[in-house]
Amino acid sequence: MLKLTARQEQILNLIRDAIENTGFPPTRAEIATELGFRSANAAEEHLQALARKGAIEITPGTSRGIRIRDTGNERLPGMYGGRQMALPHPALMQLNLPLVGHVAAGSPILAQEHVEANYNVDPALFSAKPDYLLKVRGMSMRDAGILEGDLLAVKKSDTARNGQIVVARLGDEVTVKRYKKTGGVIELLPENPDFQIIRVDGRSGEFALEGLAVGLLRSWS
């Protein structure tokens, strides 16, 4: 059992709540604002203390690179509440998920020709039961800890709450972004300043939600 101060427990709970509600950790600035710190540096000091105690892991160079360690078992730490694992992991073969690679224009995301492989994983790794894994392409979600080549666990859904990470179809393209809707306008927000916000008319036939991110798998060679 980790021995944390009251403030450290508060910050750890804030990180857990953010992951549960939006699918990704808060930034230092968001932690500082929520807890009334004068600067993001104060939040950083508390995060470093949590990291030294083994409660979290911090990915350098990313604004949301905070990973909660699951100290109650042997799982590897991950983006979604400590829920990340190396693949394959033969001891955890319970849930069979198709891995979707490149998605051809105009065809369903789970069409057989898109499935590159199948993985057996522990369903407890995810915040909700996923329907498939999507191979991440590009670095537009880098600061949310989602990197090119990662396998995003996706639950099929045609609705989302503001702040959730979603898989969306835009015409012939499929993209992973953070969802925000204001009136009839939908914004798909990147987590990398090198990429631009995508704005679409929610009533347009060019836009469709494919699902919600519920976990992340990373394969280390």
Side-chain angles (χ1 to χ4, degrees), residues 10 15 21 23 46 80 94 100 115 126 147 165 193 199 208 210:
Q10 187 179 20
I15 296 169
N21 293 329
H46 286 293
Y80 292 86
Q94 299 178 28
V100 176
V115 176
F126 311 111
L147 308 179
I165 292 178
R199 293 181 175 86
E210 294 281 359

Side-chain angles (χ1 to χ4, degrees), residues 79 121 221:
M79 172 186 165
V121 295
S221 56

